[in-house]
Amino acid sequence: MTTPLRYHKALVALHWLMAIMLTVALFIGSVILVDIPNSSPEKVDALRGHMIVGIVILLLTIIRLIVRLKTAKPAPATTGNPLLDKVGYLTHWLLYILVFAMIGSGIALAVQSNLAAAVFMKTALLPENFQLYAPRLAHGIIAKALMALIGLHVLAALYHQFVRKDGLIARMWWAK
Ligand code: HEM
């Protein structure tokens, strides 16, 4: 198999779709959702949207991982520094791990607080608040770590594109 110049177009589509969905989920989760008290009638609707988006992100991440492993990818991009290149390689896998951890902690929180019954079946009430459950703490900490890692990922892409001028972003875009 020859080494392509770009990632597979399905992977490119999944990359940008997930970039948008993760940014929106992180923003809405930390800025809007947390500030709605569980006693408010709006909370159930907000949680339903958040949970559905979370599950869609899970499915897209699994599909993306399969496409990533099954398609040919371009040669590794280099910064000129072997240590930074290693950090870049690890960052990509850590992004997958944190997305799975985000969803895993969300699901664990939902199971412990009987959230599906409250949100989808309306056969239970929301708990007084989610802070009573350990996975809520994990979900919040992982969210901050994921935001930091996405920030680092964006900075690294900009460094490649504008400082090294190696056209890195074109590798994650569709061919003209
Ligand atoms: C990649 C997917 C997800 C992202 C990016 C995400 C993001 C977030 C963020 C940023 C927060 C606020 C954390 C904080 O500031 O402390 C939050 C809260 C929450 N998330 Fe998620 N989440 C995801 C998936 C899920 C899933 C799958 C579920 C449940 C099945 C879930 C249930 C919750 C609940 C119950 C809260 C607590 C809201 C509150 O404290 O009032 N999340 N999420």
Side-chain angles (χ1 to χ4, degrees):
M1 209 188 304
T2 53
T3 307
L5 292 174
R6 303 160 194 273
Y7 287 97
H8 191 280
K9 40 186 190 289
L11 202 69
V12 174
L14 284 164
H15 174 273
W16 293 109
L17 178 63
M18 288 189 59
I20 295 168
M21 290 186 75
L22 279 170
T23 307
V24 170
L26 285 168
F27 179 78
I28 292 186
S30 53
V31 175
I32 300 175
L33 192 62
V34 278
D35 282 343
I36 309 177
N38 282 15
S39 54
S40 161
E42 293 164 22
K43 185 73 177 221
V44 166
D45 293 334
L47 281 167
R48 190 182 305 113
H50 184 77
M51 290 165 79
I52 292 171
V53 169
I55 299 302
V56 172
I57 291 176
L58 171 64
L59 297 177
L60 290 176
T61 310
I62 294 170
I63 295 170
R64 180 168 174 192
L65 200 50
I66 296 169
V67 177
R68 170 82 167 74
L69 294 172
K70 295 242 174 240
T71 55
K73 42 197 164 301
T78 180
T79 56
N81 177 318
L83 184 65
L84 279 183
D85 290 349
K86 189 91 190 146
V87 170
Y89 173 81
L90 293 175
T91 300
H92 290 150
W93 288 110
L94 195 56
L95 277 168
Y96 282 99
I97 292 170
L98 288 187
V99 170
F100 281 123
M102 197 70 226
I103 297 161
S105 57
I107 292 174
L109 175 58
V111 170
Q112 281 193 12
S113 60
N114 200 17
L115 205 50
V119 168
F120 294 108
M121 292 173 266
K122 309 259 172 87
T123 53
L125 292 174
L126 290 179
E128 205 176 303
N129 66 64
F130 290 108
Q131 313 298 335
L132 311 163
Y133 303 96
R136 175 64 186 83
L137 180 64
H139 203 61
I141 293 171
I142 299 163
K144 309 289 175 299
L146 185 56
M147 287 176 203
L149 204 64
I150 291 174
L152 182 66
H153 178 69
V154 172
L155 282 178
L158 294 176
Y159 173 75
H160 274 278
Q161 187 72 21
F162 298 109
V163 180
R164 289 190 62 85
K165 300 190 190 332
D166 58 8
L168 183 91
I169 293 173
R171 290 155 51 110
M172 197 43 100
W173 200 253
W174 298 272
K176 280 195 188 110

